Amino acid sequence: MAAAHSEERFDLLVVGGGINGAGIARDAAGRGLSVLLVEKEDLASHTSSASTKLIHGGLRYLEYGEFRLVREALIERERLWGMAPHIIWPLRFVLPQTQSPRPAWMVRLGLFLYDHLGGRKKLPGTDTIDLARTPFGRGLKTAKGEAFVYSDCWVEDSRLVVLNAMDAAEKGADIRTRTALRGARREGREWIATIADDAGERTVRARALVNAAGPWVADVLGRVPDVVADRGLRLVKGSHLVVPRLYPGDHAFMLQNPDRRIVFTVPYEGKYTLIGTTDEVWEGAPGKAQISAEETRYLLDTAARYFADPPSEKDVVWSYAGIRPLYDDKAGNASAVTRDYVLDLDGDDDRAPMLSIFGGKITTYRKLAEHAMAELARFFPQAPGAWTAGAALPGGDLPEGDFDRFVASLQYARPGMPAELLRRLARAYGTRVHALLGDAMTPFDLGADLGGGLTLREVDYLRANEWAVTAEDILYRRSKLGLHAPEGTEARLAEYLAGEPRRMARSA
């Protein structure tokens, strides 16, 4: 790390360590630009770890005429799956018509468009089923009647952010978490920015500034004088519940409510079901979000409407909420606000450029980054063109993209390791699992188990390679082991982290 008060120069200063900031840093570094990314907390510490964990086109957005967004997202869906098949995989969704406020013909037409707008190649298309004649009806209160079954993908959202940051760092970017932007000012064609971490403040210079601060995009704009910003931001909270499994099978449900909003139920961490999301307007300054009593009731009522054995509030094992920084298109209700993104560029050949990101969704992050670099291209004429489409993320270079075959080879090579542990590690780290395991052939070789299968070897790997600093970073963002670990694990982990020197991944 640079000494306090020294001055460094970069082509690009990216503010924000969510999926858009990490994606832009990766894209820019891969084009040979020098990049500094600063994030005031942990990577994916807010919105990007609080999604419904889906890579999807957004079927319901067709109802609002968002055809361009849906098409772009559908194209990205299979592309991202190919780039990171360890953390992204296909998921079938069952859409019952038993309580639908929309006629079946309308839903089927939407699914026809969904199947054909994005050039689907590998994912199965839509089927029409009788719930009484297939296993998909099990667990439902009304296990009969017509339903549609379509495809999207699951994603480990916070790990997707980390993998983009890792790839950016391996291509030369400087990723600094727990580092805040204090302010920035133009000096001709260059930005002079003040950043701060535990070691104090320092000044850095950059040719361009990217404001990818998500819900804090307006806060960053307020720290920069002489910036023209005529875009609005609308903050909408989305909340989720995690409950014991509601039904057998590996499929998800899209549930339609009388108010025409939809809620997903998704298999989660083996023995749980994830229920979400809500759309609640967030008033005031952005911050740490929590589910409200009204949102909890809404999600539980939705489950009770559809499932034979619905959960109650006492069954909730975890909840989380995030604030979506949506572009304000003046829609009348929060559910109808566009999930598309808008890029706002302020600057010219004589005034250092600032690019602010409004809106967006996790599925389109890679394309957003590509568009961001296109906006900045005239300021970096030496930089090559787009390159990220199809470029594997760290750990995603599985042989033939076949996850199950990779796991089988891993288990064959390390027969002394529990099969369940190897599968979990392969899901999290893909081919990078070899770097984590090293020469370990038995669980004993991985060091003490802090609880839930979290070993000291894995903790050390996360600290050295993935910017993990706190127990929360490890238990709820780098993994979801916090849901499985016994009481005392978090305290033991925190004690270990406090007693060891802090090590963080940095660019070469």
Side-chain angles (χ1 to χ4, degrees):
M1 185 171 287
H5 308 300
S6 67
E7 208 167 75
E8 302 163 281
R9 276 186 163 80
F10 300 89
D11 292 320
L12 209 61
L13 170 59
V14 180
V15 181
I19 189 60
N20 290 333
I24 291 169
R26 175 192 185 228
D27 193 317
R31 298 178 194 234
L33 301 185
S34 58
V35 178
L36 170 64
L37 181 147
V38 296
E39 161 56 49
K40 62 188 178 69
E41 296 178 49
D42 182 32
L43 296 171
S45 54
H46 290 279
T47 309
S48 294
S49 59
S51 77
T52 314
K53 324 299 182 192
L54 301 179
I55 296 292
H56 66 135
L59 177 60
R60 69 187 181 92
Y61 306 148
L62 291 174
E63 198 167 24
Y64 300 113
E66 298 263 20
F67 295 103
R68 190 213 68 79
L69 172 63
V70 173
R71 173 175 165 75
E72 181 174 282
L74 288 172
I75 292 170
E76 288 297 290
R77 186 179 57 176
E78 291 196 8
R79 182 174 282 157
L80 295 179
W81 174 23
M83 291 164 54
H86 55 314
I87 63 163
I88 298 173
W89 59 89
L91 189 61
R92 292 292 268 172
F93 288 75
V94 180
L95 204 171
Q97 279 298 107
T98 50
Q99 301 185 55
S100 174
R102 302 166 180 87
W105 68 265
M106 179 185 294
V107 176
R108 189 64 187 88
L109 176 59
L111 286 165
F112 176 83
L113 292 172
Y114 204 69
D115 280 345
H116 293 90
L117 270 177
R120 176 181 55 84
K121 294 181 177 67
K122 295 169 62 179
L123 291 171
T126 298
D127 293 323
T128 302
I129 63 168
D130 180 347
L131 287 169
R133 295 176 179 271
T134 74
F136 289 129
R138 289 185 295 173
L140 292 175
K141 183 182 292 184
T142 305
K144 59 183 179 180
E146 187 178 54
F148 303 110
V149 185
Y150 70 96
S151 297
D152 268 321
C153 289
W154 167 271
V155 63
E156 298 286 356
D157 53 3
S158 52
R159 290 212 57 75
L160 183 65
V161 178
V162 170
L163 296 187
N164 274 272
M166 286 176 66
D167 206 29
E170 289 169 11
K171 290 175 169 56
D174 192 341
I175 311 294
R176 301 187 194 179
T177 61
R178 273 78 183 184
T179 303
L181 176 76
R182 290 284 188 248
R185 59 181 175 82
R186 284 188 175 101
E187 191 174 274
R189 301 174 64 186
E190 198 172 42
W191 285 101
I192 314 297
T194 302
I195 61 175
D197 60 13
D198 290 344
E201 292 189 349
R202 73 201 64 201
T203 299
V204 297
R205 292 175 176 264
R207 178 71 180 91
L209 177 61
V210 174
N211 178 6
W216 287 268
V217 65
D219 180 66
V220 171
L221 287 168
R223 296 171 184 270
V224 180
D226 187 34
V227 170
V228 179
D230 56 1
R231 308 290 187 179
L233 196 65
R234 192 162 179 182
L235 301 181
V236 176
K237 183 174 67 162
S239 298
H240 300 77
L241 299 175
V242 176
V243 300
R245 285 196 73 141
L246 295 178
Y247 54 89
D250 296 326
H251 57 283
F253 282 98
M254 176 192 268
L255 307 176
Q256 302 178 80
N257 281 325
D259 61 4
R260 301 182 71 86
R261 289 161 60 187
I262 61 99
V263 167
F264 292 106
T265 63
V266 185
Y268 193 63
E269 289 294 305
K271 59 183 180 180
Y272 301 110
T273 297
L274 176 66
I275 309 173
T277 181
T278 58
D279 289 298
E280 188 175 90
V281 174
W282 179 274
E283 304 288 357
K288 186 70 173 176
Q290 293 183 325
I291 193 169
S292 67
E294 293 76 19
E295 289 174 299
T296 298
R297 188 74 264 149
Y298 182 84
L299 295 177
L300 292 175
D301 286 347
T302 301
R305 194 173 290 118
Y306 280 90
F307 293 104
D309 186 19
S312 65
E313 195 163 348
K314 65 180 176 57
D315 295 315
V316 175
V317 298
W318 188 45
S319 66
Y320 65 88
I323 304 171
R324 306 185 196 104
L326 306 180
Y327 171 63
D328 190 1
D329 61 356
K330 312 302 180 185
N333 66 78
S335 296
V337 179
T338 182
R339 267 55 176 178
D340 210 345
Y341 54 83
V342 171
L343 309 180
D344 191 51
L345 180 65
D346 179 71
D348 51 43
D349 292 341
D350 297 318
R351 295 170 65 248
M354 178 176 186
L355 184 68
S356 296
I357 314 298
F358 294 84
K361 58 200 295 285
I362 199 164
T363 305
T364 54
Y365 88 90
R366 190 205 65 83
K367 198 65 179 177
L368 181 153
E370 211 169 69
H371 286 158
M373 294 310 299
E375 288 287 317
L376 295 170
R378 65 188 173 102
F379 302 100
F380 303 104
Q382 80 284 6
W387 66 274
T388 58
L393 286 163
D397 53 338
L398 303 183
E400 299 180 8
D402 190 328
F403 177 77
D404 289 331
R405 183 180 295 181
F406 176 72
V407 172
S409 68
L410 195 61
Q411 292 170 349
Y412 178 79
R414 300 176 192 260
M417 288 285 187
E420 186 177 351
L421 173 63
L422 289 178
R423 175 168 281 271
R424 179 184 73 77
L425 294 177
R427 268 291 178 220
Y429 306 106
T431 57
R432 298 294 174 97
V433 72
H434 298 300
L436 188 157
L437 292 172
D439 59 359
M441 297 300 289
T442 70
F444 179 80
D445 299 329
L446 299 176
D449 186 336
L450 298 175
L454 178 66
T455 64
L456 295 184
R457 174 79 64 91
E458 186 172 3
V459 172
D460 289 344
Y461 174 87
L462 290 171
R463 300 177 79 195
N465 296 281
E466 296 194 9
W467 299 274
V469 175
T470 70
E472 183 182 355
D473 295 349
I474 291 171
L475 293 175
Y476 289 97
R477 281 187 288 275
R478 304 306 184 277
S479 74
K480 294 297 181 288
L481 289 174
L483 283 172
H484 307 283
E487 187 175 352
T489 297
E490 187 167 355
R492 285 191 293 274
L493 175 57
E495 183 179 5
Y496 178 72
L497 294 172
E500 291 287 312
R502 178 172 168 178
R503 290 176 291 160
M504 301 177 65
R506 298 294 302 274
S507 60

